[in-house]
Amino acid sequence: MRIGELAQRSGLSIYTLRYYEKICLLPKADRSLSGRRDYDASILKWIEFVERLKASGMPIKDIIRYATLWRQGDGTEGERRRLLLAQGERVRSRIAELNSCLNVIDEKILDLIKLEKE
């Protein structure tokens, strides 16, 4: 698929896709005879994964490292697992922090409801 279609299907801009390719987050696209990028549809799953890592707060350098290891393939599973385990821990910690914040907010709401009833 051409970069315009990939942008539309992935929800990312053409600029972002080119940038991702430049910093090696995306594998280099095949080129048509006219020199245009031609992506395989399977790249959509990879883009979704990268976007989830970004949304989880994973540093871009770690995402690039993961992508590099992924391209290298066999023998890199352990390091890829370590990167994901570390990010999973950061996400779990952030979720716990947000749950704590939510509990305080909920308590304040209940306090206000009680005051309104008095």
Side-chain angles (χ1 to χ4, degrees):
M1 87 185 77
R2 302 269 165 96
I3 196 165
E5 183 182 352
L6 181 59
Q8 184 179 14
R9 290 179 65 183
S10 69
L12 299 177
S13 69
I14 291 172
Y15 173 81
T16 299
L17 291 169
R18 286 182 179 144
Y19 174 70
Y20 280 7
E21 192 175 280
K22 181 180 176 182
I23 64 170
C24 298
L25 276 183
L26 294 183
K28 296 281 185 201
D30 292 332
R31 297 283 181 154
S32 67
L33 293 176
S34 61
R36 294 182 176 192
R37 288 171 176 86
D38 186 21
Y39 293 95
D40 184 85
S42 65
I43 199 158
L44 288 166
K45 281 191 152 268
W46 176 255
I47 290 171
E48 181 182 2
F49 178 63
V50 167
E51 288 301 296
R52 293 292 180 187
L53 292 177
K54 277 182 55 188
S56 76
M58 186 178 224
I60 195 75
K61 67 177 181 55
D62 290 345
I63 300 173
I64 292 169
R65 178 70 183 141
Y66 188 94
T68 300
L69 293 167
W70 173 70
R71 278 191 303 280
Q72 291 172 358
D74 292 345
T76 65
E77 297 86 355
E79 190 171 349
R80 284 187 279 160
R81 185 180 64 251
R82 283 188 291 281
L83 283 167
L84 294 178
L85 285 169
Q87 185 59 23
E89 268 313 302
R90 287 189 290 270
V91 169
R92 283 183 194 83
S93 177
R94 182 68 177 137
I95 289 170
E97 181 182 342
L98 289 171
N99 277 326
S100 177
C101 293
L102 184 58
N103 288 337
V104 169
I105 291 168
D106 286 344
E107 286 176 20
K108 290 299 177 189
I109 291 170
L110 290 174
D111 290 346
L112 290 169
I113 290 171
K114 288 177 188 175
L115 285 174
E116 289 174 347
K117 288 183 179 180
E118 291 180 358

